[in-house]
């Protein structure tokens, strides 16, 4: 049926508007789908990455793990260090050589904090440290009841306390070389058999520092 332009114009305008609206919705839907197709893979992979990076299956830090070798290392190295500190303390008032005095001070400064660190490990691990009435764990020396490498006997310690001047310097250096060599052996055993990352790291520090000190003591001993 023919209708006049006047009567059909509003209908055509309405129809056109309806068509435009439908077309807009269709395009929006298509655009939304395209955007999802192009962006979601990245979002999907990113989300997967984030999930895997925070996954509880990630291995925990090994610093809290320990085994029997770690416990033995700490329990034995504490009294070993304590004897070295005791020897170093004797240098004050007895040593004559300036290099010996400096070495003794360096040993005391380095090993005192390490003793505290190892005590902290044993406490956190729920493991005891051998102690004596004097408060110095395991201070039995050499023939006095311990098989720790490099530990001096009571007789050696008594002789060192009685020495003065150059005689003290020579005895101190000779004894400390043996003492350091024993500590290095213990530290090497820890690095081979231990599990605690912190204990193995300290063992490495002992090896490095005391090897350097042995070289220095050999030079001192060569000129005394």
């Amino acid at each position: 049926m023919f209708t006049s332009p006047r009567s059909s114009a509003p209908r055509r305008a309405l129809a056109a508007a309806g068509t435009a609206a439908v077309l807009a919705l269709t395009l929006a839907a298509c655009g939304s789908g395209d955007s999802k197709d192009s962006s979601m893979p990245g979002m999907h992979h990113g989300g997967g990455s984030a999930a895997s990076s925070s996954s509880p299956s990630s291995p925990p830090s090994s610093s809290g793990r320990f085994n029997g070798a770690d416990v033995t290392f700490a329990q034995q190295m504490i009294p070993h260090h304590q004897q070295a500190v005791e020897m170093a303390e004797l240098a004050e008032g007895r040593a004559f050589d300036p290099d010996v005095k400096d070495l003794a001070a360096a040993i005391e400064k380095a090993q005192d904090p390490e003793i505290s660190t190892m005590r902290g490990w044993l406490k956190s691990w729920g493991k005891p440290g051998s102690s004596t009435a004097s408060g110095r764990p395991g201070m039995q020396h050499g023939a006095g009841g311990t098989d720790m490498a490099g530990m001096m006997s009571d007789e050696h310690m008594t002789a060192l306390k009685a020495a003065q001047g150059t005689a003290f310097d020579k005895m101190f250096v000779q004894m400390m070389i043996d003492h350091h060599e024993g500590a290095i052996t213990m530290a090497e055993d820890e690095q081979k058999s231990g599990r605690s990352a912190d204990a193995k790291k300290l063992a490495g520090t002992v090896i490095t520092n005391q090897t350097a000190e042995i070289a220095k003591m050999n030079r001192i001993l060569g000129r005394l």
Side-chain angles (χ1 to χ4, degrees):
M1 176 183 295
F2 176 80
T3 55
S4 68
R6 187 184 185 100
S7 62
S8 62
R11 293 177 184 175
R12 284 198 298 271
L14 183 60
T19 301
V22 171
L23 181 60
L25 288 172
T26 301
L27 289 173
C30 291
S32 172
D34 292 343
S35 172
K36 183 177 181 179
D37 289 343
S38 61
S39 63
M40 286 304 289
M43 291 175 64
H44 175 73
H45 295 316
S49 257
S52 60
S53 65
S54 61
S55 170
S57 64
S58 300
S61 169
S62 64
S63 61
R65 299 177 179 178
F66 67 95
N67 61 13
D70 300 317
V71 175
T72 298
F73 172 71
Q75 288 177 332
Q76 293 192 351
M77 191 61 83
I78 288 172
H80 204 276
H81 269 22
Q82 285 181 319
Q83 189 179 67
V85 171
E86 183 181 356
M87 292 166 65
E89 289 171 345
L90 292 176
E92 186 176 353
R94 292 178 175 84
F96 174 77
D97 189 270
D99 288 340
V100 172
K101 293 179 181 180
D102 289 345
L103 177 67
I107 289 170
E108 188 175 350
K109 182 178 180 181
Q111 297 196 23
D112 254 338
E114 291 175 350
I115 291 168
S116 298
T117 295
M118 290 183 286
R119 281 176 172 165
W121 294 343
L122 291 174
K123 183 177 180 180
S124 68
W125 295 339
K127 301 296 182 180
S130 59
S131 61
T132 64
S134 67
R136 290 179 178 269
M139 285 305 292
Q140 299 93 346
H141 310 312
T146 179
D147 58 358
M148 285 182 284
M151 286 288 279
M152 297 296 110
S153 68
D154 291 329
E155 291 76 11
H156 285 133
M157 293 299 293
T158 299
L160 185 63
K161 290 175 184 178
Q164 291 284 342
T166 302
F168 175 89
D169 294 339
K170 289 181 179 179
M171 189 179 298
F172 175 84
V173 171
Q174 289 169 335
M175 289 171 60
M176 194 60 79
I177 288 172
D178 291 342
H179 204 273
H180 275 19
E181 287 175 346
I184 290 170
T185 297
M186 294 164 64
E188 289 173 341
D189 289 343
E190 164 61 18
Q191 289 204 319
K192 291 175 185 175
S193 306
R195 184 180 186 187
S196 166
D198 292 334
K200 294 176 80 168
K201 182 179 179 181
L202 178 58
T205 299
V206 168
I207 293 169
T208 299
N209 292 350
Q210 298 200 17
T211 297
E213 287 176 348
I214 288 172
K216 182 176 182 179
M217 287 188 286
N218 278 320
R219 290 193 296 271
I220 295 172
L221 192 60
R223 62 173 176 73
L224 286 177

